[in-house]
Amino acid sequence: LRRGTAEIDSLDPARAVLMESAAVLRDVYEGLLRIGPDMQPVSAAAARWEVSPDGRTYTFHLRPQARWSSGEPVTSADFVASWRRLVDPGTGSPNAKQLQAVKNALRIVGGEMPPDALGVAAPDPATLVVTLERPAPLFPFALTHWSVLPTPGGRPPARAGETVSNGAFVLTRWTPGNEVEVRRNRAYWNDAGTRLAGVRYVHFSDSADEYTRFRAGELDVTQNLPMMPLEELRRAQGDAVRISPSLAVYYYGFN
């Protein structure tokens, strides 16, 4: 699949900021939960989860088939280490507060407590227990964000071609300013449900150029559309125009 994209800022879940980076990260890594077709959190690396009666403790049970692309099992310790790295001030993550509902997270981000004080525990390799500061009904949605995606042992990702990941694809090439390429991960627990051999994210600095390349058949997908009325665009592109819901927040700052 050939997708147009703007520049990627990082392929480290803890450091990435841009949505273009997030699209690649979600192809390469898999978190506990993901957003389903009805825009609600559903199982991903976690097969199931329970919430305590007081709403402060979440217990996640990882899929026994979950594997890293190296063939090693994905464990709860990988999530503990990855989340501790996310909130560690030394990491400098712009999304460190994504876990603010977790016990002690904000104190750790503020440098008041060490990362190992975060309210996450791995009682066994397949179980992750998360303790919250207070009940947070939207916490499952926070776990669909790219910043909480796991890396093996919580370590920063290696360079393209050497990166070990647990998603449907593995990162094979990243040429900054040009393109990112991912290939099918045969070790993925749901590889049977994967339909693509790989994805190429082709970088464009000019949205008009990207749309021109799409119309010429050099791209299969573009999210950059020309500034024209929707009806006119539908006449020009027909069924190629797809409108999908999105979970996002936008704001305008007036000078």
Side-chain angles (χ1 to χ4, degrees):
L1 184 75
R2 301 164 301 173
R3 289 188 57 167
T5 182
E7 183 63 80
I8 305 296
D9 67 328
S10 175
L11 291 180
D12 180 343
R15 296 181 182 275
V17 175
L18 301 178
M19 294 299 296
E20 290 80 7
S21 301
V24 180
L25 288 170
R26 286 174 170 141
D27 272 354
V28 175
Y29 297 97
E30 182 174 74
L32 295 171
L33 309 177
R34 63 180 177 82
I35 294 296
D38 62 352
M39 306 302 285
Q40 297 296 312
V42 297
S43 298
R48 56 188 175 88
W49 71 96
E50 299 108 28
V51 186
S52 62
D54 65 0
R56 294 187 62 241
T57 303
Y58 283 70
T59 303
F60 297 91
H61 303 275
L62 302 186
R63 295 181 185 275
Q65 319 95 309
R67 292 286 184 274
W68 295 106
S69 52
S70 62
E72 295 294 315
V74 176
T75 70
S76 52
D78 294 317
F79 282 92
V80 170
S82 298
W83 291 9
R84 286 176 175 173
R85 176 175 174 255
L86 174 64
V87 299
D88 187 340
T91 302
S93 172
N95 290 310
K97 292 183 180 180
Q98 189 65 26
L99 290 175
Q100 62 183 299
V102 180
K103 185 177 180 180
N104 298 329
L106 292 181
R107 298 181 185 88
I108 297 168
V109 173
E112 302 172 21
M113 301 182 76
D116 59 9
L118 188 66
V120 289
D124 62 64
T127 307
L128 180 71
V129 179
V130 183
T131 304
L132 306 186
E133 290 281 359
R134 59 188 63 83
L138 294 181
F139 181 62
F141 283 93
L143 298 187
T144 67
H145 195 267
W146 68 84
S147 60
V148 299
L149 294 171
T151 58
R155 296 181 293 275
R159 62 185 181 182
E162 300 176 2
T163 300
V164 174
S165 59
N166 68 327
F169 298 90
V170 292
L171 178 65
T172 56
R173 185 162 54 91
W174 179 19
T175 307
N178 188 8
E179 66 181 37
V180 171
E181 183 176 41
V182 300
R183 305 297 293 178
R184 185 170 177 168
N185 177 14
R186 294 292 181 177
Y188 178 53
W189 68 268
N190 192 27
D191 179 61
T194 303
R195 295 291 180 265
L196 299 173
V199 183
R200 286 178 56 213
Y201 291 85
V202 184
H203 297 177
F204 292 92
S205 57
D206 185 336
S207 60
D209 182 32
E210 180 177 334
Y211 181 64
T212 298
R213 297 274 291 275
F214 172 78
R215 293 195 64 183
E218 297 177 32
L219 294 175
D220 301 305
V221 180
T222 179
Q223 290 182 296
N224 281 312
L225 304 178
M227 296 296 290
M228 66 172 64
L230 181 60
E231 291 73 17
E232 184 178 338
L233 184 63
R234 286 191 187 279
R235 285 196 295 270
Q237 294 295 332
D239 292 341
V241 179
R242 305 290 182 89
I243 307 297
S244 302
S246 175
L247 288 177
V249 175
Y250 294 87
Y251 71 89
Y252 294 89
F254 293 97
N255 187 339

